[in-house]
């Protein structure tokens, strides 16, 4: 996993609520058996028409916005547990998703892939979307170390929450598997001591 | 201290808690895998040179990508075939029990596990699939995980988790005629919304859930994820034990007695408290249907599409209705439907098929409707044939296919064409879920069967009153249907 400390980037706004993982990456594109290449089909049915031509009005196609931060409506990533959704977003070049609410599984999947799900309040989200739409050159600073989001022209910095362990993992590029494999002794001990084993 | 069912099972699976944070090393009893979300996990552990830690706790099946016709032939679509072959290869290499295509135990992972007795009370069960919540119907902690976590379980039989908050949803009373388990859960989701239970683990309590068969309970727990919940569960009781007894992987003999003793301790103590509680009256629930593009957009079938939407949600709401081709304030009654899909891990069990057969016996589907029934597993298919359900369905013009996920997510060739309406017994009505441009209306198998016969959406409550005195709801009383067929 790539390390993440501070990111400075412009952002792409997607002010739609309840974006589910079927929209992020439709099931028919889940047939690959490796992790790469899903970015091409990110938001497939919003981004391309049936003939595979880009839809001119979709935010990623207008040419107006770019950057490594996706700013999306509330309840982002609901639906299926497919980690392909996180892979697709990451593969398409995003390192951060900002929303006012994330679905649980998506959040976990994102963190396991070095993609930061950054949760802000509904008000901050609305202001942020307004600001980016007004000035697509707006450059945001996501400082994971300080747990702060900085928006130029805003006086205050926006603090955000992240689990301390997950933060460590992102900063150092570790993932859970490294940690868990090292717990083997404790796990075997547990297996012997369980009150009821299946 | 008084404990919830979740507290009891959670505590029994904590290997250790990590100091300073809210994370536990959490032990997993059973790990189910399928072809779509496992290949990258196998790659991951191989790449890291890690062995499978407890391979005998893993069971695999092929379901998402499989055709529902001619399963004895090689899969035609090359990418699907490759993915299914990859699963076979990985299972052979790592010595994992696989119920692949053609195996008598093959089926949708959440139908296969319970019917074989792999799912038991008090267990922790995971699968790289969000509807793993289904297994909570047995009083288990069961939830969907991402592929990175699939690799973690393969490598350590544990996950790093923070304990979810607890929610109890109580529905008391007896449901009305024509109201099934599916209607109860669609009703609850319509009240809580798609994000209403995010961060929570739900326990369903009250006489309405107690009265349900295991099939009905699975339908309810299955859809927990559709309101954002990490999982859903129902305390085990006599219904649970009776269902499990004698199933291939259920404990036998003395072990069975011990198991039932232990399982009988798995309930929420009387004074235990939940982080959030909801109460509903079973009498308020009517047969439901969805009108939008998330499962929270549901209503009683004879209601009109709501117009009172909070200002912040209007844009998303209109986008959704626009996709569906509906107007706010509109009734769906009389809308012509082109497809009916009866299947998926929500409603493809024998009880669902019996219910459909009972209704369509002696009737015919409307000529313009294509009605597909996809059983949840080989065992369901076999039982349907033994009970003569296949003949009843064939006479009514319904096509009984071979088991798999099918049009629930349209990864195989079973797709609903763009613009067409499909009344579906599955769990998700997302844009394009059943094929690009498809429009899905979620409903119970009973509503689906009636829609197929009528060719349009009808007020089934009226229908039931007019056409039959017998009870069609899927409560335990429904077992009379067995004698009928
Ligand atoms: S039937 Fe549908 S919801 Fe269930 S596991 Fe298959 S794809 Fe997922």
């Amino acid at each position: 996993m790539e390390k993440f400390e501070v990111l400075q980037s412009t952002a792409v706004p997607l002010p739609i609520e309840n974006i589910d993982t079927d929209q992020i990456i439709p099931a028919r594109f889940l047939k690959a058996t490796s992790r790469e290449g899903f970015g091409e089909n990110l938001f497939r049915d919003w981004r391309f028409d049936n003939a595979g031509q880009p839809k001119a009005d979709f935010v990623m196609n207008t040419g107006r916005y770019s950057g490594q931060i996706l700013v999306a409506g509330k309840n982002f990533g609901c639906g299926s547990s497919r980690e392909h959704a996180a892979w697709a977003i990451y593969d398409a070049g995003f390192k951060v998703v900002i929303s006012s609410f994330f679905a649980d599984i998506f959040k976990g999947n994102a963190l396991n892939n070095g993609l930061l799900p950054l949760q802000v309040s509904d008000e901050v989200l609305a202001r942020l979307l307004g600001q980016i739409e007004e000035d697509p050159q707006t450059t945001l600073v996501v400082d994971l170390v300080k747990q702060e989001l900085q928006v130029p022209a805003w006086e205050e910095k926006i603090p955000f929450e992240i689990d301390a362990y997950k933060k460590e993992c992102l900063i150092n590029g570790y993932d859970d598997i490294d940690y868990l494999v090292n717990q083997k002794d404790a796990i075997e001990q547990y297996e012997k001591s369980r009150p009821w084993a299946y | 201290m008084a404990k919830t069912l979740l507290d009891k099972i959670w505590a029994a699976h904590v290997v250790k808690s990590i100091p300073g944070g809210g994370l536990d090393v959490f032990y997993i009893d059973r790990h189910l895998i399928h072809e779509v979300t496992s290949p990258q996990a196998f790659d991951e552990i191989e790449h890291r040179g890690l062995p499978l830690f407890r391979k005998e706790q893993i069971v695999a099946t092929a379901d998402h990508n499989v055709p529902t016709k001619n399963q004895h032939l090689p899969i035609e679509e090359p990418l699907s075939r490759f993915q299914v072959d990859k699963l076979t290869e990985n299972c052979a290499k790592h010595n994992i029990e696989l119920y692949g295509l053609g195996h008598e135990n093959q089926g949708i992972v959440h139908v296969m596990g319970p019917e074989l007795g792999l799912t038991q009370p008090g267990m922790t069960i995971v699968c790289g699939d969000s509807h793993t919540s289904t297994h909570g119907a047995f009083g288990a902690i069961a939830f969907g995980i991402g592929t990175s976590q699939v690799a973690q379980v393969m490598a350590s039989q544990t996950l790093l988790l923070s304990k979810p908050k607890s929610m109890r949803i109580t529905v008391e009373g007896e449901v009305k005629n024509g109201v099934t388990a599916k209607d109860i859960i669609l009703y609850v989701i319509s009240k809580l919304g798609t994000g209403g239970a995010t961060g929570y683990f739900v326990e369903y309590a009250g006489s309405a859930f107690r009265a349900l068969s295991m099939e009905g309970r699975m339908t309810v727990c299955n859809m927990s994820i559709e309101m954002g919940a990490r999982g859903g569960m129902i305390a085990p009781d006599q219904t649970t034990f009776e269902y499990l007894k004698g199933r291939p992987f259920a404990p036998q003999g003395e072990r069975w007695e011990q198991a039932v003793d232990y399982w009988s301790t798995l309930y929420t103590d009387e004074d235990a408290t939940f982080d959030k509680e909801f109460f509903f009256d079973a009498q308020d629930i009517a047969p439901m249907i969805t009108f939008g593009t998330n499962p929270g957009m549901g209503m009683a079938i004879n209601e009109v599409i709501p117009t009172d939407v909070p200002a912040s949600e209007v844009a998303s709401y209109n986008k959704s209705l626009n996709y569906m081709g509906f107007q706010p304030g509109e009734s769906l009654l009389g809308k012509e439907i082109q497809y009916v899909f009866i299947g998926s891990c929500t409603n493809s069990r024998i009880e669902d098929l019996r219910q459909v057969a009972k209704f369509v016996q002696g009737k015919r589907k409307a000529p313009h409707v294509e009605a597909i029934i996809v059983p949840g597993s080989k065992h369901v298919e076999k039982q349907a044939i033994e009970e003569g359900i296949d003949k009843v369905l064939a006479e009514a013009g319904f096509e009984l296919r071979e088991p798999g996920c099918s049009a629930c997510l349209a990864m195989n060739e079973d797709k609903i064409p763009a613009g067409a309406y499909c009344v579906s017994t599955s769990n998700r009505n997302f844009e394009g879920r059943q094929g690009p441009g498809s429009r899905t209306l979620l409903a119970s198998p009973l509503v689906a069967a009636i829609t197929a016969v009528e060719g349009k959406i009808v007020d089934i409550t009226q229908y039931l009153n007019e056409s039959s005195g017998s009870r069609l709801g899927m409560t335990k009383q429904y077992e009379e249907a067995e004698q009928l067929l």
Side-chain angles (χ1 to χ4, degrees):
Chain A
M1 209 168 81
E2 254 179 75
K3 296 182 185 182
F4 187 119
E5 283 185 348
V6 180
L7 176 75
Q8 190 167 350
S9 171
T10 49
V12 179
L14 195 56
I16 300 169
E17 294 188 358
N18 303 318
I19 296 177
D20 57 74
T21 51
D22 274 79
Q23 292 342 302
I24 298 172
I25 179 96
R28 61 188 191 281
F29 299 111
L30 306 185
K31 298 184 194 227
T33 53
S34 76
R35 287 182 189 227
E36 285 78 44
F38 290 104
E40 270 171 50
N41 295 314
L42 174 68
F43 300 122
R44 176 75 201 198
D45 294 336
W46 289 345
R47 215 165 127 200
F48 301 101
D49 65 17
N50 287 345
Q53 292 306 310
K55 291 188 187 175
D57 57 346
F58 185 65
V59 65
M60 289 171 76
N61 299 333
T62 55
R64 196 172 145 79
Y65 305 99
S66 64
Q68 294 174 289
I69 303 174
L70 180 68
V71 185
K74 195 175 182 161
N75 197 22
F76 186 84
C78 58
S80 135
S81 62
R82 61 188 70 156
E83 196 158 315
H84 313 67
W87 299 337
I89 295 171
Y90 197 84
D91 195 52
F94 294 104
K95 297 277 186 302
V96 177
V97 184
I98 300 178
S99 178
S100 60
F101 199 75
F102 290 95
D104 283 335
I105 306 183
F106 176 80
K107 196 174 179 176
N109 286 342
L111 287 166
N112 279 331
N113 287 281
L115 176 68
L116 176 67
L118 194 165
Q119 188 165 331
V120 295
S121 67
D122 286 330
E123 296 77 62
V124 169
L125 182 68
R127 260 177 83 196
L128 199 54
L129 285 166
Q131 164 104 27
I132 298 164
E133 281 166 1
E134 200 184 297
D135 176 11
Q137 298 314 317
T138 303
T139 302
L140 311 178
V141 179
V142 176
D143 187 331
L144 176 61
V145 182
K146 291 193 197 147
Q147 292 183 225
E148 257 172 22
L149 169 67
Q150 298 157 21
V151 188
W154 290 16
E155 279 186 9
E156 77 281 22
K157 292 173 176 157
I158 312 296
F160 62 86
E161 301 278 322
I162 180 168
D163 178 87
Y165 166 84
K166 285 291 173 191
K167 178 176 169 180
E168 276 299 301
C169 285
L170 278 179
I171 290 177
N172 296 304
Y174 299 154
D175 45 26
D176 292 356
I177 204 164
D178 300 322
Y179 180 87
L180 291 170
V181 169
N182 282 320
Q183 302 300 313
K184 203 169 154 236
D185 291 347
I187 296 166
E188 286 181 340
Q189 199 55 42
Y190 164 83
E191 286 178 325
K192 284 189 207 122
S193 70
R194 357 189 17 201
W196 176 264
Y198 287 94
Chain B
M1 215 187 75
K3 291 194 171 69
T4 64
L5 173 59
L6 175 71
D7 293 335
K8 291 180 185 177
I9 306 176
W10 190 277
H13 289 85
V14 174
V15 172
K16 66 183 250 193
S17 297
I18 301 182
L23 288 167
D24 294 329
V25 176
F26 188 76
Y27 193 81
I28 302 303
D29 295 313
R30 194 82 82 198
H31 185 192
L32 306 171
I33 61 172
H34 63 80
E35 75 277 21
V36 179
T37 55
S38 67
Q40 293 89 350
F42 280 110
D43 279 357
E44 173 103 38
I45 56 160
E46 282 170 16
H47 176 72
R48 291 177 189 240
L50 296 166
L52 254 67
F53 185 64
R54 294 285 178 256
K55 62 176 169 30
E56 57 295 340
Q57 283 166 246
I58 309 178
V59 177
T61 191
D63 55 1
H64 281 63
N65 230 331
V66 303
T68 54
K69 281 181 180 170
N70 296 321
Q71 286 186 349
H72 59 287
L73 300 176
I75 301 176
E76 269 178 39
E77 210 269 315
L79 288 172
S80 301
R81 187 174 64 237
F82 183 70
Q83 211 171 41
V84 172
D85 286 350
K86 191 89 193 156
L87 179 73
T88 312
E89 200 182 292
N90 280 328
C91 289
K93 185 155 47 158
H94 295 277
N95 218 343
I96 293 171
E97 185 84 9
L98 166 69
Y99 304 140
L101 269 195
H103 193 286
E104 59 169 2
N105 290 345
Q106 182 266 337
I108 303 174
V109 61
H110 314 306
V111 176
M112 175 277 286
E115 77 184 0
L116 295 177
L118 285 164
T119 303
Q120 296 168 25
M123 274 189 171
T124 51
I125 302 169
V126 296
C127 173
D129 187 285
S130 59
H131 292 101
T132 310
S133 59
T134 312
H135 307 258
F138 291 77
I141 294 183
F143 52 91
I145 55 177
T147 296
S148 296
Q149 292 175 305
V150 171
Q152 290 160 24
V153 179
M154 285 176 172
S156 72
Q157 208 57 35
T158 58
L159 288 169
L160 261 186
L161 298 175
S162 54
K163 189 175 169 191
K165 288 179 279 183
S166 62
M167 177 187 287
R168 179 162 59 187
I169 296 175
T170 306
V171 182
E172 289 290 354
E174 200 182 328
V175 294
K176 293 184 194 146
N177 189 14
V179 173
T180 69
K182 183 66 163 285
D183 302 297
I184 301 177
I185 190 64
L186 282 174
Y187 175 82
V188 170
I189 300 169
S190 77
K191 295 292 171 197
L192 270 67
T194 40
T198 301
Y200 292 86
F201 211 98
V202 175
E203 179 176 346
Y204 300 96
S207 53
F209 297 116
R210 287 267 146 261
L212 294 175
S213 65
M214 286 318 293
E215 283 86 351
R217 292 178 191 187
M218 284 188 254
T219 301
V220 169
C221 291
N222 175 275
M223 292 196 71
S224 306
I225 181 74
E226 307 313 335
M227 47 190 179
R230 207 66 186 82
M233 63 197 330
I234 295 177
D237 61 8
Q238 212 48 44
T239 306
T240 321
F241 308 151
E242 274 163 28
Y243 178 95
L244 274 172
K245 199 165 175 82
R247 298 210 174 240
F249 288 89
Q252 317 284 336
E254 202 182 310
R255 295 258 306 146
W256 170 259
E257 304 301 326
Q258 287 167 2
V260 172
D261 283 349
Y262 171 59
W263 295 344
S264 305
T265 67
L266 300 174
Y267 54 85
T268 290
D269 297 334
E270 216 165 291
D271 336 330
T273 52
F274 287 79
D275 296 309
K276 215 173 203 173
E277 291 232 40
F278 290 95
F279 297 90
F280 299 103
D281 183 345
Q283 279 291 310
D284 292 342
I285 307 175
M288 298 284 293
I289 196 152
T290 65
F291 53 84
T293 54
N294 72 57
M297 300 174 81
M299 63 179 184
I301 200 162
N302 52 12
E303 278 174 356
V304 296
I305 295 176
T307 49
D308 54 335
V309 182
S312 68
E313 288 165 29
V314 169
S316 297
Y317 190 79
N318 289 343
K319 176 177 182 297
S320 177
L321 288 188
N322 190 30
Y323 179 87
M324 292 300 293
F326 297 149
Q327 301 291 329
E330 193 182 15
S331 163
L332 293 185
L333 298 181
K335 287 263 176 224
E336 212 171 86
I337 297 297
Q338 293 82 35
Y339 288 81
V340 167
F341 171 65
I342 296 169
S344 89
C345 56
T346 318
N347 285 116
S348 64
R349 298 183 176 81
I350 191 66
E351 190 180 69
D352 303 313
L353 267 53
R354 283 186 192 137
Q355 187 175 34
V356 170
K358 183 183 173 189
F359 177 80
V360 303
Q361 188 154 36
K363 302 186 181 69
R364 263 207 78 81
K365 71 164 181 78
H368 68 274
V369 171
E370 195 168 317
I372 314 168
I373 305 203
V374 181
S377 70
K378 272 291 175 205
H379 286 286
V380 172
E381 181 189 19
K382 188 166 159 243
Q383 203 172 344
I385 293 169
E386 276 165 16
E387 293 181 16
I389 289 176
D390 59 329
K391 296 208 180 60
V392 174
L393 295 176
E395 276 160 26
F398 287 62
E399 195 182 345
L400 183 66
R401 299 277 188 91
E402 291 172 279
C405 294
S406 179
C408 172
L409 92 165
M411 265 189 93
N412 69 355
E413 39 291 296
D414 305 340
K415 293 184 186 12
I416 309 303
Y421 289 106
C422 177
V423 168
S424 173
T425 68
S426 55
N427 42 44
R428 288 189 173 139
N429 49 358
F430 297 154
E431 280 183 32
R433 170 83 178 180
Q434 298 195 289
S438 61
R439 293 158 157 175
T440 304
L441 297 91
L442 302 175
S444 72
L446 179 61
V447 168
I450 295 177
T451 308
V453 168
E454 292 278 347
K456 57 181 195 277
I457 307 222
V458 295
D459 181 356
I460 85 148
T461 43
Q462 219 167 340
Y463 199 99
L464 296 174
N465 295 341
E466 281 165 14
S467 65
S468 93
S470 78
R471 195 178 171 86
L472 285 171
M474 206 192 309
T475 57
K476 259 198 244 170
Q477 295 92 312
Y478 185 71
E479 275 147 26
E480 69 190 22
E482 272 173 75
Q483 282 110 51
L484 223 144
L485 285 164

